[in-house]
Amino acid sequence: GDAARPRPGSVPAALRAGVGFVPQDRHHQGYVPGMSIADNGTLTIPERLGPPGFIDRRRRDELAKDMIDNLAIKTPGPELEVSGLSGGNQQKVVMARALASDPKVLVLINPTAGVDVRSKEFLLGKVEETAESGTGVLIASDELDDLRMCDRVLVMFRARVTGEFARGWHDHELVAAMEGVDLDA
């Protein structure tokens, strides 16, 4: 029913409702630069680190090591500050944090922006794996590669939905719709 719908704009409410989020701008919204990979990766799951107000460092580092392995994050260890990582690895930390709470729905905004090709392929592979495991996935992006795995793509132009495409669309159709061009006209 309606009781489970989180309050719009409330991050804690969304987390409680089971939403994982990869924001558009990792530098400002995705991670806390002066904090370690371990702390950043576990921000969404304080309840797994010990009783309220306490953090079991060993537990945190174990969880972080699992994330580092799962997302192939290139780092000497979980204590490294996230700002010391490459862009692709920073984005993997953001993804790890979004997945840490085993979300029912994963929302990603431009998830591969400013990321090298290998990290991009890896991140999109993880998103696909997440979808195949039964998690709902919503991607908002203007990068065609981010959208290829989607079952359905809605195109918005000037804040209106102007097109809907099923998996298997052709690049030129989608680009035309994104630019507000009617190919059939």
Side-chain angles (χ1 to χ4, degrees), residues 151-164:
D151 295 319
R152 222 170 118 226
V153 176
L154 295 178
V155 176
M156 293 188 77
F157 182 72
R158 301 210 172 117
R160 282 196 3 263
V161 173
T162 55
E164 180 171 339

Side-chain angles (χ1 to χ4, degrees), residues 117-131:
V117 174
R118 279 188 51 208
S119 298
K120 177 173 169 166
E121 283 172 3
F122 185 91
L123 287 162
L124 292 176
K126 273 289 163 211
V127 174
E128 196 151 18
E129 214 174 277
T130 304

Side-chain angles (χ1 to χ4, degrees), residues 16 24 28 37 50 56 70 73 77 83 85 130 137 140 168 171 175:
R16 277 195 306 277
Q24 174 157 15
H28 292 111
I37 294 171
D56 175 344
N70 181 29
I73 296 166
S83 47
L85 295 171
T130 304
V137 174
D171 291 15
V175 169

Side-chain angles (χ1 to χ4, degrees), residues 42-116:
T42 55
L43 277 174
T44 51
I45 48 167
E47 70 287 347
R48 289 196 214 163
L49 304 181
F54 292 91
I55 287 180
D56 175 344
R57 292 219 163 103
R58 251 202 356 255
R59 180 93 190 94
R60 179 198 60 198
D61 289 347
E62 269 166 34
L63 285 165
K65 284 195 180 92
D66 287 346
M67 289 177 183
I68 289 167
D69 291 344
N70 181 29
L71 280 134
I73 296 166
K74 306 268 177 294
T75 174
E79 58 294 321
L80 186 78
E81 277 190 19
V82 175
S83 47
L85 295 171
S86 70
N89 285 296
Q90 290 175 354
Q91 193 66 351
K92 287 176 178 184
V93 172
V94 176
M95 179 83 81
R97 186 178 80 184
L99 294 173
S101 55
D102 297 319
K104 297 187 190 80
V105 178
L106 179 63
V107 177
L108 308 107
I109 317 283
N110 290 342
T112 64
V115 163
D116 63 281

